[in-house]
Amino acid sequence: MLCMKCYTRLHPFFLPFMPLRMPPMPASVFPTTESLRHLREHAKAGTVNWRRKFIYWSGAIMVGVVAVGFATLADAAAHVRDHILKISPLLMLLVTPGGLALSTWLTRTWFRGAQGSGIPQAIACMHLNNITIVDKVLSLRIAFAKILLTCLGLLSGASIGREGPTVQVGASVMHTVGHYMGITDLTRQRALIKAGGAAGVAAAFNTPLAGIVFGIEELAHSFEQRTSGTMLTCVVISGVTAIALVGNYTYFGHTYSSVPVGTSWLAVLACGIIGGLCGGGFSALLVRMSRGISGAFGTFITRHPVAFAALCGLVLAFIGLISGGMTYGTGYVQARDIIMGSDQYPASFFVLKLLATIVSYCSGIPGGLFAPSLSVGAGMGGWVAQFLPHTAPGAVVLLGTVAYFAAVTQSPLTATVIVMEMCDNQQITLALLASAFLAFGVSRTLCSHALYGALAVRFVRTTAPKQSSASVVTATDTARRASSSKQS
């Protein structure tokens, strides 16, 4: 076989096509120890980042799974209660006082931090500096107890909801995820709490946009605070998880009512004013009750909370007997029937439901206010619709729902988005906004502070008395202070 030199001599034609001798490579081209170390550190940082994201996403999936499981247990408790009512409505005279007394005893003895709605706890934990208290309130033990005790209250006939407790449960799940990740930075911990609470709302109502707005308007410090990518990701993933488990449903079905500009907008004014007065009065009363009652009756409540809870249960049972059982539970069935127009309820329904919700909250048992407030608002809207024949009854019911809900929570954007997504109706968005903001303004005249913010302040003062509670504010409180400072 010929060598290359001989081959080129024999075939000079191929000489131009032969490869030239390559110059030696510079030493800088070869990887050095420093560059290899840099590449290894970069790859390790990327792996850690993706691992952290995967754990965050897993936590969001868990929030969705827990929210769906919570809803299933709550429905099962409601079915047991309905079965008891079919046997004899008088049995609730024993079941309701006994259930509320047991729930209060368990809460005060073993599960302190599980009482009430759950939203004030989430807001308070975003402002508490004592991480030990935050770990106790947002522990998985308290979250598990919150689910079971809320279901016990629903079985007993209390006028409570599961959506508020789902916020605390979601915050607990994401807070635990942060502990597992070894996050010690206070800002990042609070971001996870906000993300978990917002994801809980999105999964509970199947309203992802409402979850985002709720996180900004109710849980965040102010409107100007930027929405973190963690919260957005958690809301989307938990919402998708809930849809994957139970399907893409709407909370109150599909409605096609509209409010044309003109005389129909009288319903906006009527619902906004009446809803603002009722919701604002409700919030003012609950804030006042949270601060304690003076006199002998207040002393009795403080010394004998279990007996007081049993007394509240007896009152609830009598209200339920008067209403024919309509005031028991969340009120979801009644609200859906009123909104869809499939059933008619007397004007006394929203009054009795309002009283039942007040009594249920005063008893001190775990349970939320979202669902009962929506039910009261729907009942109020159905009553107002009788006097406004020029407006579609379904539209008036939605306006009443959003007005009362916005007045109670003093979160008009959250109320609007929740109602809009729950009934899958974008045609009425502008009217919903107008009614919500009008009710919000009226509510402010009766209750100067947002309900959940005021309850969060009370929670901070009772759990961490050494810490100032002046920093516990919601976005609506911040907006009010900003407007008042401009006027001055």
Side-chain angles (χ1 to χ4, degrees):
M1 193 172 183
L2 297 175
C3 64
M4 185 63 66
K5 184 183 295 186
C6 298
Y7 191 82
T8 53
R9 289 176 181 175
L10 292 175
H11 301 279
F13 175 76
F14 295 101
L15 185 61
F17 303 98
M18 297 304 295
L20 300 176
R21 179 177 295 179
M22 296 297 295
M25 297 181 66
S28 60
V29 175
F30 293 98
T32 62
T33 304
E34 183 67 21
S35 61
L36 289 175
R37 186 179 63 82
H38 178 73
L39 288 174
R40 283 196 300 268
E41 291 179 353
H42 183 72
K44 183 179 179 180
T47 303
V48 171
N49 187 34
W50 277 106
R51 178 174 173 267
R52 183 184 294 113
K53 288 182 178 180
F54 178 76
I55 295 176
Y56 286 160
W57 297 343
S58 300
I61 292 174
M62 284 302 302
V63 172
V65 171
V66 171
V68 172
F70 192 0
T72 303
L73 288 176
D75 292 340
H79 286 313
V80 174
R81 185 190 66 243
D82 293 340
H83 183 68
I84 295 174
L85 288 172
K86 288 180 181 179
I87 296 174
S88 175
L90 295 177
L91 287 176
M92 298 303 291
L93 293 173
L94 298 175
V95 173
T96 307
L100 266 63
L102 177 61
S103 179
T104 301
W105 180 80
L106 290 172
T107 301
R108 288 180 168 269
T109 305
W110 301 104
F111 306 110
R112 287 189 176 271
Q115 70 275 9
S117 166
I119 297 177
Q121 285 89 329
I123 295 175
C125 288
M126 291 182 61
H127 298 83
L128 284 170
N129 298 324
N130 191 335
I131 195 63
T132 304
I133 297 177
V134 175
D135 292 341
K136 290 181 180 179
V137 175
L138 297 183
S139 65
L140 292 183
R141 174 176 170 271
I142 295 297
F144 183 71
K146 190 85 171 184
I147 294 174
L148 295 183
L149 293 175
T150 301
C151 292
L152 175 61
L154 290 172
L155 187 150
S156 303
S159 181
I160 56 177
R162 59 175 171 81
E163 292 77 17
T166 306
V167 172
Q168 184 177 356
V169 172
S172 300
V173 171
M174 294 307 297
H175 182 67
T176 304
V177 168
H179 265 292
Y180 178 78
M181 291 296 299
I183 295 176
T184 57
D185 180 62
L186 200 59
T187 302
R188 294 179 64 188
Q189 288 181 346
R190 290 171 176 175
L192 286 177
I193 294 173
K194 182 176 69 172
V201 170
F205 284 114
N206 190 27
T207 54
L209 184 57
I212 296 171
V213 176
F214 174 81
I216 298 173
E217 190 176 27
E218 192 66 58
L219 298 181
H221 295 270
S222 65
F223 285 115
E224 291 76 16
Q225 180 173 337
R226 296 182 60 186
T227 305
S228 64
T230 303
M231 186 185 76
L232 296 175
T233 305
C234 288
V235 167
V236 172
I237 293 178
S238 64
V240 170
T241 302
I243 291 173
L245 293 175
V246 298
N248 190 14
Y249 70 97
T250 51
Y251 199 82
F252 286 140
H254 301 269
T255 62
Y256 304 97
S257 304
S258 61
V259 184
V261 177
T263 56
S264 297
W265 273 63
L266 290 174
V268 174
L269 295 175
C271 291
I273 295 174
I274 298 175
L277 292 174
C278 295
F282 173 81
S283 296
L285 180 60
L286 261 59
V287 171
R288 179 65 186 86
M289 291 289 293
S290 68
R291 295 170 181 168
I293 301 176
S294 59
F297 189 60
T299 304
F300 170 77
I301 295 174
T302 303
R303 293 181 177 178
H304 308 284
V306 177
F308 176 71
L311 181 62
C312 290
L314 191 62
V315 174
L316 283 176
F318 278 114
I319 295 175
L321 291 175
I322 295 172
S323 66
M326 293 185 297
T327 58
Y328 294 133
T330 62
Y332 162 76
V333 175
Q334 291 79 11
R336 182 184 174 90
D337 290 342
I338 296 172
I339 290 175
M340 300 303 295
S342 58
D343 201 352
Q344 298 291 330
Y345 289 86
S348 60
F349 165 71
F350 88 91
V351 177
L352 293 176
K353 185 65 177 176
L354 176 62
L355 292 176
T357 306
I358 294 173
V359 175
S360 298
Y361 171 80
C362 292
S363 67
I365 65 171
L369 300 172
F370 268 33
S373 297
L374 293 170
S375 180
V376 173
M380 186 200 72
W383 173 69
V384 174
Q386 302 175 11
F387 306 99
L388 299 172
H390 48 271
T391 308
V396 180
V397 171
L398 291 177
L399 293 175
T401 304
V402 75
Y404 181 81
F405 188 66
V408 170
T409 62
Q410 293 193 1
S411 302
L413 290 178
T414 300
T416 300
V417 177
I418 283 180
V419 174
M420 181 189 70
E421 287 191 290
M422 286 194 308
C423 64
D424 193 24
N425 188 348
Q426 288 79 36
Q427 304 177 31
I428 201 174
T429 303
L430 187 59
L432 291 176
L433 278 171
S435 185
F437 274 95
L438 177 59
F440 165 68
V442 175
S443 176
R444 274 293 184 184
T445 62
L446 299 177
C447 185
S448 58
H449 297 283
L451 173 62
Y452 291 128
L455 296 179
V457 169
R458 180 63 183 172
F459 184 81
V460 170
R461 288 175 178 173
T462 55
T463 56
K466 295 182 179 180
Q467 178 177 327
S468 173
S469 57
S471 61
V472 183
V473 293
T474 58
T476 48
D477 291 322
T478 304
R480 178 178 59 86
R481 292 179 181 179
S483 61
S484 61
S485 63
K486 289 181 180 178
Q487 292 175 359
S488 60

